Amino acid sequence: MKCVTCRGPAVIDIRRQNANYCVDHFLEQCRRQVSKAIREWDMVETSDRVLVAVSGGKDSLAVWDLLLELGYQADGLYVGLGIGDYSDTSAVYAKNFAEERGLNLITIDLPTTYGYDIPNGSRAARRAPCSACGLSKRHLFDSAALEGGYDVLVTGHNLDDEAAVLFGNTLHWHTEYLGRQLPVLPARDGFPKKVKPLVRLTERETAAYCLIKGIDYLVDECPMAVGNRHLSYKEALNDIEVKSPGAKHSFYFGFLDRASALFIPEAEEDRAQLQDCLTCGAPTTADICAFCRLVDRAGGHHPEPVPVHLGSTRRGSSS
Ligand code: AMP
Ligand code: FES
Ligand code: ZN
Ligand code: ZN
């Protein structure tokens, strides 16, 4: 197996590109794909203050590393979800990565700050764990980015993640979500700009990137996610990809190029109805936002003082 660029010994084959790469050219390829995504969708400027949501897994540590390699300045944000050993261990990986490189890592611990954890909170609130978890994370990511005055919030979603979410949303025709399934969501009242620079890389590639760069990450999957639908969509797409290399890429990028715009008006309609949550000030279509309702139903509490959404023009505005 020879590197497509230098003809030296290759360490990885990327079937959707019909190409093999040596160590150096694979790393270059990862940087090139991330730069391309950043340029194509105006994700980040070099002067931006960037906040990367890091879980301690391969994708988020890889994207943090890649952004630094490409010359961006980026802090990290880790959210402790109270999922037993899984959370304890993931925190160690995120903290070690930051400490070894002298980087700033903001941490928010859900049980300490909000008085509930995902296993108990989701049970009490009668929500699936991944749904309570996703809701909590989204809220905390948004508020941390706004409170910290960051220009952009980065997550480590990769091509496999995005294709699987798209697969689920089209299987069930969740058209209201399809209009928001974009690699960039611009900042707007109460929401930071959110970007996914890894959409051009698969999880196999981010794992290889970490391995080659010596980045230690938590390999275990979240125990609460075992058997969920998202993972079964990933498996189904992986089966298709084996027989038809590039299928995932063309499914996701074909959607972005040819279909996503059709669903934006419906997503915009939802957004037009947003007002300030009476408890926390975050944008919501109800009086109390879904996060604050979850906190209440999970038997949790709000930190004192209630977070102020700096950078948000929604607080105190009429709605
Ligand atoms: P997931 O929802 O677990 O697929 O994760 C998607 C992305 O969300 C990751 O790549 C991270 O950027 C971010 N993320 C997930 N879990 C956490 C966490 N506990 N703390 C901070 N960021 C996270
Ligand atoms: Fe959220 Fe597993 S990381 S439920
Ligand atoms: Zn090479
Ligand atoms: Zn709220």
Side-chain angles (χ1 to χ4, degrees), residues 215-254:
I215 297 171
D216 267 342
Y217 64 89
L218 178 61
V219 177
D220 299 344
E221 291 285 345
C222 168
M224 315 233 67
V226 174
N228 78 6
R229 273 195 288 183
H230 182 69
L231 290 182
S232 66
Y233 298 149
K234 271 192 175 175
E235 280 165 22
L237 287 171
N238 283 342
D239 287 347
I240 296 171
E241 184 78 15
V242 169
K243 297 196 186 84
S244 173
K248 244 182 254 179
H249 180 101
S250 64
F251 178 50
Y252 176 63
F253 288 96

Side-chain angles (χ1 to χ4, degrees), residues 3-8 21-22 25:
C3 171
V4 66
T5 312
C6 71
R7 311 306 296 161
Y21 295 95
C22 69
H25 289 117

Side-chain angles (χ1 to χ4, degrees), residues 258-279:
R258 298 155 80 167
S260 63
L262 300 174
F263 302 100
I264 290 176
E266 188 177 341
E268 291 293 324
E269 239 172 70
D270 281 357
R271 297 253 152 158
Q273 294 159 15
L274 293 175
Q275 54 184 5
D276 295 353
C277 168
L278 295 175
T279 304

Side-chain angles (χ1 to χ4, degrees), residues 4 27 34 70 112 116 127 141 163 179 192 204 231 239 260 270 276 282 287 289:
V4 66
L27 295 179
V34 170
L70 292 171
T112 326
Y116 72 96
R127 278 186 93 119
F141 293 172
R204 180 169 166 266
L231 290 182
D239 287 347
S260 63
D270 281 357
D276 295 353
D287 289 342
C289 77

Side-chain angles (χ1 to χ4, degrees), residues 2-253:
K2 288 194 173 135
C3 171
V4 66
T5 312
C6 71
R7 311 306 296 161
V11 293
I12 187 165
D13 63 316
I14 301 187
R15 288 188 64 205
R16 73 178 183 290
Q17 295 176 357
N18 199 18
N20 307 320
Y21 295 95
C22 69
V23 165
D24 289 347
H25 289 117
F26 173 66
L27 295 179
E28 184 189 86
Q29 155 75 7
C30 292
R31 290 191 295 269
R32 202 171 38 223
Q33 293 298 341
V34 170
S35 296
K36 189 170 176 191
I38 290 175
R39 254 195 339 267
E40 202 166 331
W41 289 291
D42 288 328
M43 289 185 173
V44 199
E45 304 285 333
T46 30
S47 57
D48 279 348
R49 287 191 64 225
V50 179
L51 184 63
V52 185
V54 283
S55 62
K58 59 188 181 322
D59 303 307
S60 48
L61 292 179
V63 76
W64 199 1
D65 191 76
L66 279 157
L67 288 171
L68 297 169
E69 288 252 344
L70 292 171
Y72 298 97
Q73 33 167 318
D75 292 345
L77 167 67
Y78 172 78
V79 176
L81 300 160
I83 308 176
D85 287 349
Y86 173 76
S87 289
D88 297 343
T89 319
S90 58
V92 172
Y93 284 98
K95 284 176 189 163
N96 284 350
F97 180 91
E99 260 169 39
E100 282 162 15
R101 291 159 183 80
L103 300 169
N104 183 27
L105 179 71
I106 301 170
T107 55
I108 302 173
D109 189 56
L110 199 60
T112 326
T113 314
Y114 290 90
Y116 72 96
D117 58 33
I118 294 302
N120 292 320
S122 60
R123 219 172 297 129
R126 293 172 190 275
R127 278 186 93 119
C130 292
S131 140
C133 175
L135 170 59
S136 305
K137 284 191 292 199
R138 278 192 301 278
H139 181 91
L140 296 174
F141 293 172
D142 288 357
S143 59
L146 293 173
E147 281 168 30
Y150 288 94
D151 298 298
V152 53
L153 174 85
V154 170
T155 52
H157 292 97
N158 56 41
L159 178 59
D160 298 80
D161 295 321
E162 294 306 291
V165 172
L166 177 61
F167 193 42
N169 284 340
T170 45
L171 264 186
H172 303 286
W173 289 113
H174 288 310
T175 50
E176 71 281 22
Y177 298 141
L178 287 172
R180 269 184 282 151
Q181 213 204 319
L182 302 168
V184 172
L185 290 175
R188 46 205 304 173
D189 281 359
F191 294 107
K193 178 176 179 182
K194 291 188 246 195
V195 307
K196 301 171 182 170
L198 294 186
V199 288
R200 302 187 64 86
L201 294 176
T202 63
E203 53 189 39
R204 180 169 166 266
E205 288 145 39
T206 59
Y209 181 87
C210 288
L211 200 75
I212 291 172
K213 293 278 319 260
I215 297 171
D216 267 342
Y217 64 89
L218 178 61
V219 177
D220 299 344
E221 291 285 345
C222 168
M224 315 233 67
V226 174
N228 78 6
R229 273 195 288 183
H230 182 69
L231 290 182
S232 66
Y233 298 149
K234 271 192 175 175
E235 280 165 22
L237 287 171
N238 283 342
D239 287 347
I240 296 171
E241 184 78 15
V242 169
K243 297 196 186 84
S244 173
K248 244 182 254 179
H249 180 101
S250 64
F251 178 50
Y252 176 63
F253 288 96

